[in-house]
Amino acid sequence: MAKPVVVGVDGSPAGLQAVETAAREAALSGVGLRLVHAFGWPSIHPPPGGPPWSPAAAGLRELADGTLAEAEQRARAIAPQVDITREITAGEPVMVLERESRTASLVVVGSRGLGAFGSLLLGSTAVHLAAHGRCPVLVVRGRADPAGCVLLAVDGSPAGERAVEFAFAEAAVRGAGLLAVHVWNTRSERAHEGRGDPLSLVIDIEALREEEQRLLDETLAPWQARWPRVAVERRLVCSRIRPALIEASRDAQLVVAGARGRGGFTGLLLGSVSQALLHHAHCPVAVVRGQD
């Protein structure tokens, strides 16, 4: 059975926008949609020997049902043909959705939910799932532009291969072009090898550019062969990585990035580039982890 698209439902405006996006994704992929609402009560400690807490016992089941009913109505308006299921469960939302990601094809969340502090650009649930989710995580943010391209942040790392595959698949089902952007500069890790060694007095910029172009071409070649109908634009940019990708997202309908790139510290599950996109991209962002 095909794995469903899972979306976290909390009743917030951002959450309802995520439901609509998840419904479109499920329809495009031909899979089911699972609406998940989680109750998290970290400050509640039932008395010893007392019955465990449950939404029904707390009188909140009706509220949860109403929240899911509104979400389902939104989803059916977008994708009436999609099979939709609901789930209400007790637990911290972030942990519930992480568990759901083990059996999902995609998890969709809003950039900020009801629990987010007003000063935060991105909710903690989105950040945690992007780092720990077992499937691709799509964070709905920015503006919706169905006419835009799918933007792929290419870093050439082995961990980024799944992101490349995901981006090609998304471009194919959306009928969109794929803009593959590889940003490099003389301070990047690859620039510190061979002729780009910072200890050298002279850096051969042209040789370095050719090396980065070869990296971009070799990364895309096998996937272009698999999806020959996807129109691909390759763009090699010498610039600061994070600002360049954020600027490129202005014209995209979706940005796809790996969780960690070539220059990330080994212990980090979410790299600085993917974090910057999650916080500042002008459109939705999909973060795809490599193989564990």
Side-chain angles (χ1 to χ4, degrees), residues 31 63 111 221 246 256 279:
V31 299
L63 179 61
S111 58
I246 291 168
V256 180
H279 282 85

Side-chain angles (χ1 to χ4, degrees), residues 188-210:
S188 65
E189 180 180 303
R190 288 180 59 80
H192 295 175
E193 302 171 358
R195 298 186 180 184
D197 194 312
L199 297 179
S200 301
L201 294 177
V202 178
I203 297 176
D204 190 335
I205 296 296
E206 183 58 28
L208 184 58
R209 188 201 66 78
E210 292 176 358

Side-chain angles (χ1 to χ4, degrees), residues 10-270:
D10 63 5
S12 69
L16 290 173
Q17 187 179 4
V19 168
E20 294 178 350
T21 297
R24 294 189 187 95
E25 287 291 325
L28 287 171
S29 301
V31 299
L33 176 63
R34 183 171 168 82
L35 309 175
V36 178
H37 183 81
F39 287 87
W41 295 90
S43 62
I44 289 182
H45 300 281
W53 178 87
S54 72
L60 297 176
R61 180 79 190 202
E62 293 80 4
L63 179 61
D65 282 336
T67 299
L68 283 175
E70 181 182 6
E72 183 173 350
Q73 185 178 17
R74 291 283 192 103
R76 292 198 182 281
I78 296 294
Q81 75 279 22
V82 169
D83 181 35
I84 299 176
T85 58
R86 303 184 189 180
E87 176 67 22
I88 299 175
T89 185
E92 283 300 298
V94 66
M95 302 310 297
V96 169
L97 289 174
E98 182 182 336
R99 184 174 67 244
E100 290 282 340
S101 73
R102 299 173 186 175
T103 55
S105 61
L106 176 71
V107 172
V108 182
V109 293
S111 58
R112 289 177 55 202
L114 292 177
F117 293 99
S119 61
L120 294 182
L121 292 173
L122 189 68
S124 59
T125 297
V127 173
H128 181 93
L129 284 174
H132 298 276
R134 300 301 182 91
C135 69
V137 175
L138 198 164
V139 178
V140 180
R141 59 163 295 109
R143 51 76 186 117
D145 180 10
C149 64
V150 172
L151 171 62
L152 169 64
V154 177
D155 60 33
S157 68
E161 281 293 299
R162 291 185 67 187
V164 179
E165 180 182 13
F166 181 86
F168 268 91
E170 282 291 311
V173 298
R174 292 167 181 249
L178 178 67
L179 172 59
V181 177
H182 177 50
V183 186
W184 65 282
N185 55 63
T186 57
R187 296 182 63 84
S188 65
E189 180 180 303
R190 288 180 59 80
H192 295 175
E193 302 171 358
R195 298 186 180 184
D197 194 312
L199 297 179
S200 301
L201 294 177
V202 178
I203 297 176
D204 190 335
I205 296 296
E206 183 58 28
L208 184 58
R209 188 201 66 78
E210 292 176 358
E211 180 182 355
E212 299 297 340
Q213 182 67 59
R214 182 165 54 253
L215 174 71
L216 175 61
D217 294 341
E218 291 176 354
T219 298
L220 298 176
W223 304 107
Q224 281 192 272
R226 181 172 175 180
W227 278 285
R229 295 188 178 182
V230 173
V232 179
E233 177 185 349
R234 306 180 186 189
R235 186 178 298 176
L236 187 67
V237 180
C238 182
S239 177
R240 295 169 59 202
I241 298 173
R242 293 184 291 276
L245 290 172
I246 291 168
E247 180 62 26
S249 72
R250 290 184 182 276
D251 300 320
Q253 60 173 285
L254 175 69
V255 179
V256 180
R260 286 185 59 244
R262 184 178 295 275
F265 292 101
T266 303
L268 296 180
L269 293 176
L270 192 61

